[in-house]
Amino acid sequence: QEPARLTQLQTYKGLFFVLSTALLLFLAMWLALRRQAALQRTLSDRETAFQLAMRASGMGVWDYRVGREEVDTSAQVAALLGYPPETFRESVAAWQERLHPQDRDMARRQFRAYMEGRTPRYEAEFRMRHRDGGYRWFRSTGQVAERDGEGKPTRVLGAAHDIDEQLQTLQRLAA
Protein backbone atom coordinates (compact mmCIF):
# COMPACT_ATOMS: atom_id res chain seq x y z
CA GLN A 1 0.00 0.00 0.00
CA GLU A 2 2.78 2.41 0.98
CA PRO A 3 4.85 2.12 -2.29
CA ALA A 4 1.71 2.57 -4.38
CA ARG A 5 0.81 5.69 -2.38
CA LEU A 6 4.35 7.04 -2.81
CA THR A 7 4.21 6.44 -6.57
CA GLN A 8 0.85 8.19 -6.72
CA LEU A 9 2.21 11.23 -4.81
CA GLN A 10 5.26 11.37 -7.05
CA THR A 11 2.98 11.30 -10.09
CA TYR A 12 0.89 14.17 -8.69
CA LYS A 13 4.05 16.08 -7.81
CA GLY A 14 5.40 15.65 -11.37
CA LEU A 15 2.07 16.62 -12.89
CA PHE A 16 1.89 19.72 -10.65
CA PHE A 17 5.44 20.69 -11.67
CA VAL A 18 4.69 20.27 -15.38
CA LEU A 19 1.42 22.20 -15.19
CA SER A 20 2.85 25.04 -13.07
CA THR A 21 5.86 25.34 -15.41
CA ALA A 22 3.56 25.40 -18.43
CA LEU A 23 1.42 28.09 -16.76
CA LEU A 24 4.48 30.21 -15.94
CA LEU A 25 5.77 29.88 -19.50
CA PHE A 26 2.36 30.81 -20.87
CA LEU A 27 2.20 33.90 -18.64
CA ALA A 28 5.76 34.91 -19.59
CA MET A 29 4.96 34.56 -23.31
CA TRP A 30 1.66 36.40 -22.93
CA LEU A 31 3.39 39.30 -21.13
CA ALA A 32 6.18 39.39 -23.72
CA LEU A 33 3.66 39.46 -26.58
CA ARG A 34 1.70 42.25 -24.90
CA ARG A 35 4.89 44.25 -24.45
CA GLN A 36 5.90 43.65 -28.06
CA ALA A 37 2.46 44.74 -29.28
CA ALA A 38 2.69 47.91 -27.18
CA LEU A 39 6.17 48.65 -28.54
CA GLN A 40 4.95 48.09 -32.10
CA ARG A 41 2.04 50.49 -31.53
CA THR A 42 4.45 53.10 -30.14
CA LEU A 43 6.81 52.63 -33.07
CA SER A 44 3.94 52.87 -35.53
CA ASP A 45 2.63 56.04 -33.86
CA ARG A 46 6.10 57.61 -33.98
CA GLU A 47 6.57 56.59 -37.62
CA THR A 48 3.23 58.17 -38.49
CA ALA A 49 4.13 61.36 -36.62
CA PHE A 50 7.53 61.48 -38.32
CA GLN A 51 6.01 61.00 -41.78
CA LEU A 52 3.43 63.73 -41.13
CA ALA A 53 6.10 66.10 -39.85
CA MET A 54 8.29 65.45 -42.88
CA ARG A 55 5.36 66.00 -45.27
CA ALA A 56 4.36 69.17 -43.45
CA SER A 57 7.92 70.49 -43.63
CA GLY A 58 8.22 69.62 -47.31
CA MET A 59 11.31 67.53 -46.63
CA GLY A 60 12.17 64.12 -47.99
CA VAL A 61 14.45 61.59 -46.36
CA TRP A 62 17.29 59.73 -48.08
CA ASP A 63 19.34 56.79 -46.83
CA TYR A 64 22.66 56.11 -48.54
CA ARG A 65 24.58 52.91 -47.79
CA VAL A 66 28.14 53.25 -49.00
CA GLY A 67 28.96 50.81 -51.77
CA ARG A 68 25.38 50.33 -52.91
CA GLU A 69 24.20 51.97 -56.11
CA GLU A 70 20.60 52.40 -54.92
CA VAL A 71 19.67 55.11 -52.42
CA ASP A 72 16.56 54.52 -50.32
CA THR A 73 14.25 57.53 -50.27
CA SER A 74 10.94 58.52 -48.76
CA ALA A 75 7.92 59.11 -50.96
CA GLN A 76 8.40 62.84 -50.37
CA VAL A 77 11.73 62.84 -52.26
CA ALA A 78 9.94 61.48 -55.32
CA ALA A 79 7.18 64.07 -54.93
CA LEU A 80 9.71 66.91 -54.62
CA LEU A 81 11.20 65.84 -57.94
CA GLY A 82 7.79 65.36 -59.57
CA TYR A 83 7.78 61.57 -59.74
CA PRO A 84 5.13 59.15 -58.52
CA PRO A 85 6.49 57.55 -55.32
CA GLU A 86 5.36 54.07 -56.38
CA THR A 87 7.75 53.96 -59.34
CA PHE A 88 10.58 56.26 -58.20
CA ARG A 89 13.93 54.57 -57.58
CA GLU A 90 16.93 56.71 -56.68
CA SER A 91 20.49 55.74 -57.44
CA VAL A 92 23.84 57.47 -57.09
CA ALA A 93 24.17 57.70 -60.88
CA ALA A 94 20.64 59.09 -61.36
CA TRP A 95 21.22 61.66 -58.61
CA GLN A 96 24.47 62.83 -60.20
CA GLU A 97 22.87 62.97 -63.64
CA ARG A 98 19.92 64.95 -62.26
CA LEU A 99 22.22 67.61 -60.77
CA HIS A 100 22.52 70.83 -62.74
CA PRO A 101 25.77 70.65 -64.79
CA GLN A 102 27.14 73.77 -63.06
CA ASP A 103 26.50 72.27 -59.60
CA ARG A 104 27.77 68.70 -60.12
CA ASP A 105 31.41 69.17 -59.13
CA MET A 106 30.58 71.35 -56.13
CA ALA A 107 27.93 68.91 -54.86
CA ARG A 108 30.26 65.93 -55.24
CA ARG A 109 33.14 67.79 -53.53
CA GLN A 110 30.97 68.76 -50.56
CA PHE A 111 29.72 65.22 -50.06
CA ARG A 112 33.21 63.72 -50.47
CA ALA A 113 34.66 66.26 -47.99
CA TYR A 114 32.06 65.24 -45.43
CA MET A 115 32.58 61.50 -46.02
CA GLU A 116 36.34 61.95 -45.62
CA GLY A 117 35.86 63.84 -42.35
CA ARG A 118 37.13 67.18 -43.64
CA THR A 119 33.86 68.93 -42.73
CA PRO A 120 31.84 68.40 -39.54
CA ARG A 121 28.48 68.15 -41.31
CA TYR A 122 27.05 67.58 -44.73
CA GLU A 123 25.03 70.49 -46.01
CA ALA A 124 24.76 71.55 -49.64
CA GLU A 125 22.55 73.63 -51.90
CA PHE A 126 22.25 72.72 -55.55
CA ARG A 127 19.85 72.56 -58.47
CA MET A 128 18.18 69.30 -59.44
CA ARG A 129 16.28 68.56 -62.63
CA HIS A 130 12.58 68.12 -61.95
CA ARG A 131 10.51 65.60 -63.90
CA ASP A 132 9.06 68.50 -65.91
CA GLY A 133 12.59 69.24 -67.22
CA GLY A 134 13.14 72.43 -65.23
CA TYR A 135 15.63 72.85 -62.41
CA ARG A 136 14.75 73.55 -58.80
CA TRP A 137 16.99 74.50 -55.89
CA PHE A 138 17.37 72.01 -53.04
CA ARG A 139 19.09 72.02 -49.69
CA SER A 140 20.39 68.65 -48.61
CA THR A 141 21.73 67.83 -45.17
CA GLY A 142 23.01 64.55 -43.84
CA GLN A 143 24.82 62.77 -41.06
CA VAL A 144 26.77 59.54 -40.76
CA ALA A 145 24.55 56.95 -39.11
CA GLU A 146 26.90 53.94 -39.16
CA ARG A 147 30.65 53.37 -39.38
CA ASP A 148 32.78 50.30 -39.95
CA GLY A 149 35.48 49.01 -37.59
CA GLU A 150 37.98 51.52 -39.01
CA GLY A 151 35.64 54.46 -38.42
CA LYS A 152 34.78 54.94 -42.09
CA PRO A 153 31.16 55.87 -42.89
CA THR A 154 29.04 52.99 -44.15
CA ARG A 155 25.63 54.67 -43.94
CA VAL A 156 24.52 58.28 -44.21
CA LEU A 157 20.98 59.51 -43.53
CA GLY A 158 19.77 62.88 -44.66
CA ALA A 159 16.97 65.15 -45.72
CA ALA A 160 16.27 67.05 -48.91
CA HIS A 161 14.24 70.24 -48.96
CA ASP A 162 13.00 72.16 -52.00
CA ILE A 163 14.11 75.77 -51.43
CA ASP A 164 13.32 77.03 -54.94
CA GLU A 165 10.39 79.27 -53.96
CA GLN A 166 12.32 80.62 -50.99
CA LEU A 167 15.23 81.65 -53.21
CA GLN A 168 12.90 83.17 -55.81
CA THR A 169 11.24 85.23 -53.07
CA LEU A 170 14.63 86.42 -51.83
CA GLN A 171 15.61 87.41 -55.36
CA ARG A 172 12.36 89.37 -55.84
CA LEU A 173 12.87 91.16 -52.53
CA ALA A 174 16.47 91.99 -53.42
CA ALA A 175 15.46 93.46 -56.80
Side-chain angles (χ1 to χ4, degrees), residues 58-60 75-83 130 136 138 160-162:
M59 292 182 145
Q76 187 65 17
V77 170
L80 291 171
L81 294 167
Y83 292 92
H130 191 271
R136 299 185 63 83
F138 286 86
H161 190 222
D162 183 336

Side-chain angles (χ1 to χ4, degrees), residues 77-92:
V77 170
L80 291 171
L81 294 167
Y83 292 92
E86 306 80 42
T87 59
F88 182 76
R89 296 293 173 264
E90 184 64 296
S91 69
V92 174

Side-chain angles (χ1 to χ4, degrees), residues 13-30:
K13 179 180 151 188
L15 186 58
F16 174 77
F17 178 76
V18 168
L19 290 176
S20 61
T21 302
L23 179 62
L24 287 174
L25 285 174
F26 172 78
L27 287 173
M29 291 296 292
W30 181 73

Side-chain angles (χ1 to χ4, degrees), residues 81-83 128-136:
L81 294 167
Y83 292 92
M128 295 281 283
R129 190 176 56 252
H130 191 271
R131 185 179 183 192
D132 65 13
Y135 285 92
R136 299 185 63 83

